[in-house]
């Protein structure tokens, strides 16, 4: 193409472009310089306050290995804290967010229990435009207190007993599947226990026959697994929600994948609509949610000492909070989602530890069979409650592999720690649960599996064992989760003997999971030892 005689010279065009280009480059460089300056200023935060800390990297803080998914974030924190064994508090940089790690158990007790009102909130943004974000987990302040009071009756001993029958049906299906394997086959239990956990929460909590054990490739199972896939996109979202909550709220970011939330919320909505239309009543969580929505409250009857953790100051009930449809959906979804991965993982890891320790496995089995025999050959709710050594095994697994490796809180009112350090309003604090559980001063030789640590004669500081948190904000579904793990383990041990396959690789924590799950399959050789247990 020929250039017209009237066209300006090429050099002239370039000369005209240069000021614009130079200006754009200057703006970009200025923004980069400003970002670097601000990041450097943030990285001086703990130095200015005199708080011991590890030198942070620009923009990555102390989370470089976690962000790049080289290590699980719990392992990353353990690496940071190993240089501060005798420090009660340590400064930590989660990317560009300074977080105070509190690792002394006496300090932890003040934060979680004694002075809880200073640290009531988790500090996560609540977007009320998303029904699945309106839950007990994320809510703050007066709304959280009132909702906690309303939901406490869902998890009393009386209510748990009504869930036990469907749970037992699911475990019977699980053992029937495991019966089919020969003693020499390598069995990856993770998938079967995951399917069992989904069936339990679907049946016990929502009256849904998910059929995960009988139809492992169904949509319910696929979406349940997807909800816990922790890829780099999820890591970015998590970092943005944690470090820039206002920006995350503006873009309507959520911890939950939108398609997963939509799928399960639709199931819950459809189930609610069907029950209302056909006047169906069941003894499950969803029915209690519906009753709470219709009546505005549930009757709270606490007659069992095990229910003491549910007791909440009665003054919380005076808060006038309406239990809306969105709140019902949000909490139903949260309980449904929370019941999948964590319980399955800890059931798996309990069997893993017992497989490595035959004497402990045999002792646990003897206790199980003794109480089952006393109960007429059935694994009843009452028989399960008597299995104290089995519970010690489960607790020791929860110590080594806590479901939630860290507890996040935000300071609501200026607070002074026993060492004189003042925590300002808005400061995020974290209890590094995994680090506390592996403190050799509390648990000698912490990498060893020793159920006797939890013998009734042993004394453990109240905030040295935190798999479900502690204080008023302790996991409300704690006893349901413990019941499921304990029941599943008892059912497996009374029917089968477990050995680790020689093909099982050394245990490492998966970097692609929020929970402390194995990175590679744990393979077991399973021997059927009874066909009479119920």
């Amino acid at each position: 193409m020929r250039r017209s005689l009237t066209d300006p010279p090429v050099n002239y065009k370039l000369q005209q472009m240069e000021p614009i280009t130079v200006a754009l480059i200057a703006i970009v460089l200025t923004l980069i310089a400003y970002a670097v300056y601000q990041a450097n200023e943030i990285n001086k935060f703990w130095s200015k306050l005199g708080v011991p800390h590890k030198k942070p990297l620009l923009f990555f803080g102390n989370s470089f290995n976690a962000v790049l998914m080289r290590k699980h974030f719990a392992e990353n924190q353990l690496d940071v804290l190993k240089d501060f064994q005798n420090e009660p508090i340590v400064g930590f940089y989660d990317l560009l967010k300074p977080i105070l790690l509190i690792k002394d158990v006496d300090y932890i007790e003040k934060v979680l229990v004694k002075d809880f009102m200073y640290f009531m909130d988790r500090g996560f943004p609540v977007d009320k435009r998303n029904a699945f974000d309106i839950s007990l987990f994320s809510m703050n302040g007066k709304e959280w207190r009132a909702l906690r009071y309303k939901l406490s009756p869902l998890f009393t001993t009386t209510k748990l007993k009504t869930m036990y029958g469907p749970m037992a049906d699911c475990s019977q299906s699980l053992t029937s599947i495991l019966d089919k394997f020969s003693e020499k086959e390598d069995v990856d239990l993770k998938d079967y226990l995951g399917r069992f956990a989904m069936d339990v929460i679907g049946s016990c909590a929502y009256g849904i026959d998910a059929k995960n054990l009988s139809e492992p490739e169904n949509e319910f199972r696929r979406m349940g697994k997807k909800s816990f896939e922790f890829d780099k996109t999820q890591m970015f979202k998590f970092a943005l929600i944690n470090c820039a909550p206002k920006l995350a709220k503006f873009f309507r970011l959520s911890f939950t994948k939108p398609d997963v939330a939509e799928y399960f919320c639709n199931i819950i909505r459809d189930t609610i609509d069907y029950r209302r239309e056909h006047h169906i009543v069941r003894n499950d969580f969803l029915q209690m949610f519906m009753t709470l929505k219709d009546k505005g409250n549930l009757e709270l009857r606490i007659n069992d000492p095990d229910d003491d953790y549910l007791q909440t100051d009665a003054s919380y009930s005076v808060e006038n909070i309406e239990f809306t449809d969105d709140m019902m959906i949000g909490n139903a979804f949260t309980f449904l989602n929370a019941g999948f991965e964590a319980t399955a993982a800890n059931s798996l890891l309990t069997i893993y530890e017992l497989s490595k320790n035959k004497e402990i496995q045999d002792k646990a089995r003897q206790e199980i069979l003794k109480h089952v025999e006393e109960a007429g050959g059935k694994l009843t709710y009452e028989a399960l409650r008597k299995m104290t050594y089995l519970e010690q095994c489960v607790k020791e697994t929860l110590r080594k592999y806590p479901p939630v490796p860290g507890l996040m809180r935000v300071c609501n009112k200026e607070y002074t720690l026993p060492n004189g350090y003042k925590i300002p309003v808005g400061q995020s604090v974290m209890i590094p649960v995994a680090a506390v559980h592996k403190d050799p001063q509390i648990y000698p030789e912490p990498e060893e599996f020793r159920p006797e640590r939890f013998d009734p004669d042993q004394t453990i500081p109240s905030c040295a064992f935190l798999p479900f948190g502690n204080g008023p904000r302790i996991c409300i579904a704690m006893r349901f989760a413990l019941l499921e793990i304990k029941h599943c383990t008892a059912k497996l041990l009374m029917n089968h003997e477990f050995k680790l396959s020689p093909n099982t690789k050394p245990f490492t924590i998966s970097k692609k999971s929020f929970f402390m799950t194995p990175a590679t399959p744990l393979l077991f050789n399973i021997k059927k030892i009874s066909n009479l247990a119920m």
Side-chain angles (χ1 to χ4, degrees), residues 93-119:
Y93 293 94
D94 187 8
L95 299 178
L96 294 174
K97 183 177 182 178
I99 296 176
L100 184 67
L101 301 182
I102 301 180
K103 54 193 285 289
D104 180 274
V105 292
D106 293 329
Y107 288 25
I108 293 172
E109 186 176 22
K110 288 183 176 296
V111 170
L112 297 183
V113 185
K114 293 181 178 179
D115 297 319
F116 167 76
M117 294 306 296
Y118 288 84
F119 303 93

Side-chain angles (χ1 to χ4, degrees), residues 336-492:
L336 181 69
N337 209 27
F340 288 166
E341 186 80 355
T343 51
N346 279 278
S347 296
L348 172 68
L349 293 169
T350 300
I351 295 297
Y352 169 70
E353 289 292 345
L354 295 178
S355 298
K356 293 196 302 178
N357 299 273
K358 187 178 185 302
E359 289 185 6
I360 297 176
Q361 181 181 161
D362 290 343
K363 183 176 178 179
R365 182 179 294 107
Q366 288 170 8
E367 179 191 58
I368 294 165
L369 294 176
K370 172 190 172 185
H371 291 297
V372 167
E373 183 180 0
E374 292 174 353
K378 293 185 178 293
L379 180 59
T380 63
Y381 180 88
E382 289 73 19
L384 194 66
R385 290 189 64 174
K386 296 176 183 177
M387 299 175 190
T388 55
Y389 186 72
L390 175 63
E391 185 164 315
Q392 290 172 220
C393 294
V394 170
K395 285 184 175 180
E396 176 66 349
T397 303
L398 290 167
R399 180 197 67 80
K400 284 193 70 175
Y401 315 98
V404 181
L407 303 173
M408 184 68 78
R409 296 290 188 269
V410 64
C411 185
N412 301 320
K413 183 180 178 181
E414 186 177 84
Y415 181 80
T416 303
L417 290 170
N419 67 350
Y421 177 74
K422 291 185 178 180
I423 304 178
V425 176
Q427 174 63 58
S428 293
V429 302
M430 178 178 280
I431 313 302
V433 176
V436 174
H437 283 192
K438 297 204 173 177
D439 186 341
Q441 295 181 7
I442 303 171
Y443 301 103
E445 298 182 285
E447 294 302 326
E448 295 295 317
F449 185 79
R450 296 178 180 173
E452 60 269 19
R453 300 183 203 271
F454 295 94
D455 188 279
D457 295 334
Q458 297 295 317
T459 301
I460 298 175
S462 64
C463 284
F465 182 63
L466 300 166
F468 301 100
N470 204 332
R473 202 137 193 174
I474 193 171
C475 175
I476 196 172
M478 174 185 71
R479 289 190 57 237
F480 180 83
L482 284 172
L483 178 67
E484 182 180 338
I485 297 170
K486 193 175 175 182
H487 172 81
C488 178
T489 307
K491 188 70 175 181
L492 294 178

Side-chain angles (χ1 to χ4, degrees), residues 253-407:
L253 295 182
S254 170
F255 290 115
T256 308
K257 296 180 176 70
D259 57 336
V260 172
E262 182 180 6
Y263 173 78
F264 285 114
C265 286
N266 284 340
I267 288 179
I268 295 167
R269 286 193 181 98
D270 291 345
T271 304
I272 292 171
D273 292 342
Y274 184 82
R275 290 189 187 185
R276 284 176 173 165
E277 182 180 351
H278 295 85
H279 308 288
I280 295 173
V281 178
R282 289 178 56 101
N283 285 321
D284 56 23
F285 291 156
L286 189 57
Q287 190 65 50
M288 286 183 274
F289 280 132
M290 294 171 67
T291 301
L292 181 57
K293 171 65 175 64
D294 295 337
K295 293 185 177 181
N297 62 76
L298 290 171
E299 187 176 0
L300 179 60
R301 293 181 179 177
I302 297 181
N303 300 315
D304 193 301
D306 288 339
D307 296 335
D308 288 347
Y309 85 103
L310 292 171
Q311 291 180 354
T312 310
D313 192 322
S315 63
Y316 293 172
S317 63
V318 297
E319 301 292 346
N320 185 17
I321 178 174
E322 179 187 2
F323 194 65
T324 64
D325 281 343
D326 280 351
M327 203 175 288
M328 177 166 59
I329 297 296
N331 282 282
F333 171 72
T334 299
F335 289 150
L336 181 69
N337 209 27
F340 288 166
E341 186 80 355
T343 51
N346 279 278
S347 296
L348 172 68
L349 293 169
T350 300
I351 295 297
Y352 169 70
E353 289 292 345
L354 295 178
S355 298
K356 293 196 302 178
N357 299 273
K358 187 178 185 302
E359 289 185 6
I360 297 176
Q361 181 181 161
D362 290 343
K363 183 176 178 179
R365 182 179 294 107
Q366 288 170 8
E367 179 191 58
I368 294 165
L369 294 176
K370 172 190 172 185
H371 291 297
V372 167
E373 183 180 0
E374 292 174 353
K378 293 185 178 293
L379 180 59
T380 63
Y381 180 88
E382 289 73 19
L384 194 66
R385 290 189 64 174
K386 296 176 183 177
M387 299 175 190
T388 55
Y389 186 72
L390 175 63
E391 185 164 315
Q392 290 172 220
C393 294
V394 170
K395 285 184 175 180
E396 176 66 349
T397 303
L398 290 167
R399 180 197 67 80
K400 284 193 70 175
Y401 315 98
V404 181
L407 303 173

Side-chain angles (χ1 to χ4, degrees), residues 121-164:
D121 301 335
R122 289 194 170 100
F124 297 128
V126 178
D127 189 349
K128 293 187 177 181
R129 297 170 295 179
N130 298 325
F132 41 83
D133 276 354
I134 309 173
S135 71
L136 195 63
F137 175 82
S138 58
M139 293 177 75
N140 299 314
K142 294 180 179 179
E143 285 189 318
W144 168 79
R145 294 192 301 175
L147 185 61
R148 170 80 184 206
Y149 183 82
K150 285 180 178 288
L151 295 185
S152 291
L154 273 67
F155 295 95
T156 60
T157 299
T158 301
K159 295 294 191 294
L160 291 179
K161 285 181 178 179
T162 66
M163 312 288 173
Y164 191 75

Side-chain angles (χ1 to χ4, degrees), residues 7-70:
D7 287 344
V10 174
N11 287 341
Y12 174 76
K13 282 187 174 182
L14 292 175
Q15 290 172 2
Q16 289 295 100
M17 290 286 292
E18 285 177 1
I20 298 175
T21 304
V22 170
L24 288 173
I25 292 174
I27 291 172
V28 171
L29 290 176
T30 300
L31 290 174
I32 293 174
Y34 179 75
V36 171
Y37 170 78
Q38 288 295 330
N40 270 318
E41 287 300 303
I42 292 172
N43 284 355
K44 297 175 184 177
F45 184 84
W46 295 121
S47 294
K48 291 178 180 178
L49 295 174
V51 176
H53 63 283
K54 186 175 181 178
K55 184 178 179 181
L57 295 176
L58 193 66
F59 297 114
F60 287 95
N62 301 128
S63 301
F64 184 77
N65 287 324
V67 171
L68 296 187
M69 302 185 79
R70 293 178 177 176

